[in-house]
């Protein structure tokens, strides 16, 4: 028996089918790319409504399963953009009713964490979750995923996206800045914004755009932005490791696709005698497989929802979600 998961929190509509031991049987995704500027929630939601039915069909077909093989239908309940969340939740409720299978709500952030954790094979690692809307250093403790440090303003991915659009590019900014940064040579002075265990990015955004207005070139700006912000993330991750007495780190979220971030965290962790793991990129970005896997964990622990109680929660926080499958 397998679990089907639906992701639709922001720009990506995705359906995944997952079996035992987080075996990803299929993953069908379609990302909304605005022609210019940032994401408009309602336009992204319209995109998701259009593509989700055929993504469900594709996911079932390439997994080689029929609706009768599906054990439960999981969906991302939050956090995310309200209209986008509602698109995925509506499809999940409909499938749950049509197939007569339990409906399992999943927290999107916990899903990024759980897919990275199971693939790492590490029992209790520290987690650096770096994505569009979120930037958190997370450790499990006393029945919850605890946020030890996080962004005080925007997520690092949103920072990279806004910056790239400000430099004349289009969404998504992270991969484009990574490519541009490879041609950069000069480290330009930018604010280094670490506040205890937390970080902030909006001042760096303003400072980078100001340097650009004064004539700094894009490769050097990209190179400097990556060096500065990924150092900040590496620093708070190292401090959390020291405080928690852990030695291993797992990366998750779309920005964890970045080779430079992976390299910096790996160097830091290995210098402390630990190991660093990052999932394949298709499972770092938003994807239905992580929702299916976490849905499977939740379902096996007895967490299901009636349709009536399955309202989306756009501001649901990582540290407020019950995780009864972790009984350590
Ligand atoms: P969340 O809801 O978890 O905050 P999200 O919905 O924004 O996340 P993700 O797919 O987890 O979505 O992350 C998308 C972000 O990842 C975008 O901001 C994108 O620019 C960034 N990103 C993707 N690839 C890279 C890369 N190679 N380097 C840096 N950033 C990247
Ligand atoms: Fe995400």
């Amino acid at each position: 028996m397998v679990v089907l998961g639906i992701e639709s929190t922001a720009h990506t509509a995705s359906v995944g089918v997952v079996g035992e031991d987080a075996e990803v049987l299929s993953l069908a995704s379609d990302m909304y790319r605005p022609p210019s500027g940032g994401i408009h929630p309602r336009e992204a939601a319209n995109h998701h409504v259009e593509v989700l039915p055929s993504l469900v069909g594709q996911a079932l077909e390439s997994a080689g399963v029929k609706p009768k093989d599906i054990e439960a239908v999981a969906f991302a309940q939050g956090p995310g953009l309200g209209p986008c969340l509602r698109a995925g939740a509506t499809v999940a409720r409909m499938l749950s009713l049509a197939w007569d299978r339990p409906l399992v709500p999943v927290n999107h952030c916990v899903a990024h964490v759980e897919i990275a954790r199971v693939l790492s094979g590490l029992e209790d690692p520290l987690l650096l979750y770096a994505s569009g809307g979120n930037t958190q250093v997370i450790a499990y403790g006393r029945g919850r995923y605890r946020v030890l440090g996080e962004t005080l303003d925007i997520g690092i991915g949103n920072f990279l996206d806004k910056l790239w659009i400000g430099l004349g590019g289009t969404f998504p900014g992270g991969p484009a800045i990574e490519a541009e940064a490879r041609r950069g040579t000069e480290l330009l002075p930018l604010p280094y914004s670490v506040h205890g265990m937390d970080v902030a990015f909006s001042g760096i955004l303003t400072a980078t755009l100001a340097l650009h207005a004064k004539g700094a070139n894009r490769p050097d700006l990209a190179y400097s932005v990556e060096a500065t912000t990924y150092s900040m993330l590496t620093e708070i991750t190292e401090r959390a490791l020291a405080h928690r007495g852990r030695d291993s780190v797992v990366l998750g979220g779309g920005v964890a696709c970045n080779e430079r971030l992976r390299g910096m965290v790996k160097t830091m962790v290995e210098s402390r005698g630990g190991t660093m793991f990052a999932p394949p990129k298709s499972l770092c970005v938003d994807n239905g497989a992580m929702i299916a896997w976490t849905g499977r964990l939740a379902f096996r622990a007895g967490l299901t929802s009636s349709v009536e109680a399955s309202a989306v929660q756009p501001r649901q926080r990582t540290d407020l979600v019950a995780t009864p499958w972790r009984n350590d």
Side-chain angles (χ1 to χ4, degrees), residues 7 9 108 112 129 131-132 253-254 284-286 290:
E7 158 62 35
T9 55
H108 175 91
H112 273 296
Y129 165 40
S131 66
C284 283
V285 295
D286 288 354
M290 70 183 190

Side-chain angles (χ1 to χ4, degrees), residues 12-177:
T12 299
S14 176
V15 181
V17 176
V18 165
E20 297 290 340
D21 301 325
E23 186 195 355
V24 178
L25 301 175
S26 66
L27 181 57
S29 304
D30 194 323
M31 184 183 187
Y32 171 68
R33 288 171 193 268
S36 64
I39 297 173
H40 189 291
R42 214 163 298 279
E43 284 166 13
N46 289 343
H47 162 268
H48 299 347
V49 169
E50 270 171 36
V51 301
L52 274 172
S54 67
L55 293 178
V56 171
Q58 282 172 41
L60 290 177
E61 193 182 320
S62 57
V65 298
K66 300 262 178 294
K68 68 173 170 42
D69 305 317
I70 303 288
E71 195 173 16
V73 177
F75 72 100
Q77 186 175 33
L81 305 171
C84 298
L85 287 168
R86 280 189 283 278
T90 304
V91 173
R93 289 179 197 122
M94 192 198 73
L95 294 178
S96 155
L97 293 171
W99 297 343
D100 191 22
R101 290 292 186 273
L103 185 63
V104 185
V106 165
N107 175 276
H108 175 91
C109 310
V110 171
H112 273 296
V113 164
E114 287 297 359
I115 193 77
R117 189 171 73 93
V118 67
L119 295 175
S120 75
L122 296 164
E123 198 50 42
D124 192 21
L126 197 89
L127 302 126
L128 172 58
Y129 165 40
S131 66
N134 292 281
T135 305
Q136 297 179 331
V137 178
I138 298 170
Y140 183 79
R142 293 174 291 115
R144 292 277 193 279
Y145 280 109
R146 307 285 168 180
V147 178
L148 306 181
E150 65 186 315
T151 177
L152 297 171
D153 45 35
I154 52 177
I156 179 143
N158 285 357
F159 158 77
L160 295 168
D161 297 336
K162 279 180 204 277
L163 175 62
W164 190 241
I165 290 167
L167 296 177
T170 55
F171 175 88
I177 289 176

Side-chain angles (χ1 to χ4, degrees), residues 206-314:
T206 308
T208 312
L209 292 173
L211 285 177
H212 184 238
K214 285 190 201 144
N217 68 56
R218 281 208 317 202
D220 285 345
L221 289 169
Y223 172 78
S224 307
V225 156
E226 286 204 340
T228 304
T229 56
Y230 298 159
S231 296
M232 288 160 44
L233 297 185
T234 306
E235 179 186 329
I236 61 168
T237 306
E238 179 164 30
R239 193 171 304 121
L241 278 176
H243 276 303
R244 287 285 164 141
R246 310 272 169 109
D247 57 7
S248 299
V249 173
V250 162
L251 301 187
V255 183
C257 291
N258 188 279
E259 298 294 345
R260 191 143 181 224
L261 176 64
R262 290 177 179 218
M264 287 167 75
V265 176
K266 189 171 195 296
T267 302
M268 178 276 286
V269 174
E270 290 181 352
S271 75
R272 301 176 61 88
T275 43
M276 190 286 289
F277 174 85
K281 294 181 183 178
S282 60
L283 299 176
C284 283
V285 295
D286 288 354
N287 67 88
M290 70 183 190
I291 304 298
W293 171 244
T294 310
R296 186 187 180 91
L297 295 173
F299 174 62
R300 288 288 160 91
L303 288 184
T304 62
S305 172
S306 64
V307 166
E308 293 73 19
S310 66
V312 301
Q313 297 188 29

